[in-house]
Amino acid sequence: MLTLMRQEINEIPAATARLIEGSGEAIREAGRALRELDPPVVVTIARGSSDHAAHFLKYAIELQLGIPVASLGPSLASIYEAPLRLSGAAAIGISQSGKSPDIVALTKAVRDAGALTLALVNTLPSPMGDAASMAIDIQAGPEKAVAATKSFVNSAVAGLAIIAEWSDDPALRAALARLPRDFEAALKLDWSVLVDKFRDAGSIYVLGRGPTLAIAAEAALKCKETSELHAEAYSSAEVLHGPVSLVAPAFPVIAFAARDRAEGAIADIAAGLSAKGADIYITSGKASGSVPLPFVDTGHPLTDALALILPYYGFVEQLSRARGFNPDAPAALNKVTQTK
């Protein structure tokens, strides 16, 4: 019998198709509003996997539109009650439930401070959706497993679709239209080679650069949540500024590389770590001494990066069971985290 987590991973292509079809008009409206506003800066509001989706969208906005994006700490509103100055800015809040009190408080504070505030939520109506200027249903459907999978992916896809409308980019629109098919292909990729290597590991590094850094952060979180395996995500450049000192022979590393301008740089770092004796697994064929992991070429660097998380989710669900855990019910975690 499949775990709930595995069932929800398998639902991702259908959930993405549902989002593109069912929330298309809301996405186009949000894109038009952002184009008319032409904000000089964008801020994001999120925690956990939703924050990794926000981090992914940070890179997407900066690469596509050249507009700087910053993450705001929810405690600014919920604890410090700090006044914000955001007139003319835009904000993107992301939440599966739309209920976390600190996220709701910051969404309201940002809107009150003058920002056009978009909420990407899987639950409407919800307090976060009500607090925002505009709410977009990410259409992931009910997510019963504690570890977020399809809601993470659909949050990122919703953001990319808004960016495609905002920037009026036909290439990104076309890549998004292909995503349900590409995600189906990504689900069929086999990363089980990692299970035996990581089953008895005590710690791993997960690397990325640009948009894949957000994918690395999400991957590291899922390792901790579902498998109680210590995992740290680093930029493939930042890992050389200290963390590399822990990389000993047989130290396991996953490097996420998309088909973009950072692929060669990530591959070079992976090759250097391999030369130190580390066990390197990379989604590229360019790194000497590393084990290549299969990937789907989606035809666009941003969707290439996002598609990498699907075979990883399949692997980490296997890993959780191989390490003797239940991936549907990680210890000490709840679906909705009530933080102030």
Side-chain angles (χ1 to χ4, degrees):
M1 183 175 177
L2 296 179
T3 64
L4 290 172
M5 183 179 179
R6 182 70 238 192
Q7 292 176 48
E8 289 169 0
I9 294 166
N10 291 346
E11 291 169 16
I12 290 173
T16 299
R18 186 166 57 242
L19 164 65
I20 292 170
E21 177 66 26
S23 293
E25 183 51 43
I27 285 167
R28 287 187 286 274
E29 183 182 351
R32 286 193 295 267
L34 287 165
R35 192 162 57 246
E36 291 171 6
L37 179 64
D38 191 22
V41 66
V42 177
V43 297
T44 63
I45 305 162
R47 283 201 188 279
S49 286
S50 294
D51 196 39
H52 299 154
H55 196 188
F56 181 83
L57 296 178
K58 163 190 165 67
Y59 278 105
I61 291 169
E62 291 172 346
L63 288 167
Q64 288 284 114
L65 292 144
I67 297 171
V69 181
S71 172
L72 294 183
S75 62
L76 287 171
S78 62
I79 299 293
Y80 296 105
E81 300 181 351
L84 300 171
R85 297 163 56 188
L86 292 168
S87 179
I92 300 174
I94 305 175
S95 174
Q96 193 276 334
S97 69
K99 293 180 181 178
S100 296
D102 55 349
I103 298 297
V104 174
L106 184 57
T107 302
K108 183 179 185 303
V110 164
R111 183 180 180 182
D112 291 347
L116 172 67
T117 308
L118 309 181
L120 309 183
V121 289
N122 198 35
T123 308
L124 286 177
S126 64
M128 184 182 186
D130 293 343
S133 311
M134 306 172 72
I136 293 91
D137 187 346
I138 66 168
Q139 304 268 358
E143 193 171 53
K144 297 179 181 178
V146 172
T149 54
K150 60 180 180 172
S151 63
F152 166 81
V153 173
N154 266 28
S155 295
V157 173
L160 286 180
I162 290 168
I163 292 165
E165 296 302 319
W166 180 6
S167 59
D168 194 20
D169 184 339
L172 184 54
R173 283 196 191 102
L176 288 163
R178 293 190 299 267
L179 262 187
R181 180 196 68 194
D182 289 333
F183 282 167
E184 287 281 7
L187 282 178
K188 297 175 183 176
L189 300 178
D190 184 3
W191 285 21
S192 60
V193 65
L194 298 173
V195 176
D196 285 341
K197 181 61 187 178
F198 286 43
R199 180 187 287 111
D200 298 319
S203 185
I204 70 168
Y205 282 169
V206 193
L207 308 182
R209 194 85 182 265
T212 63
L213 179 56
I215 301 304
E218 170 65 3
L221 176 63
K222 288 297 177 288
C223 242
K224 298 169 188 173
E225 282 183 332
T226 67
S227 302
E228 296 190 12
L229 171 58
H230 178 248
E232 292 298 330
Y234 290 104
S235 158
S236 59
E238 191 66 29
V239 76
L240 299 181
H241 292 263
V244 70
S245 62
L246 297 182
V247 177
F251 189 94
V253 178
I254 302 175
F256 287 98
R259 281 4 82 198
D260 67 5
R261 295 177 68 173
E263 182 180 7
I266 296 170
D268 288 346
I269 297 298
L273 295 176
S274 178
K276 289 173 61 70
D279 287 338
I280 311 293
Y281 300 84
I282 184 171
T283 59
S284 172
K286 296 184 176 182
S288 61
S290 303
V291 177
L293 294 169
F295 57 85
V296 171
D297 187 340
T298 69
H300 193 286
L302 291 173
T303 51
D304 267 6
L306 184 56
L308 296 174
I309 200 61
L310 274 76
Y312 177 86
Y313 279 159
F315 145 68
V316 84
E317 187 270 348
Q318 288 181 275
L319 180 65
S320 177
R321 291 185 288 105
R323 287 170 66 92
F325 298 108
N326 177 4
D328 292 338
L333 294 179
N334 296 308
K335 189 63 181 172
V336 179
T337 303
Q338 300 285 341
T339 48
K340 181 178 179 182

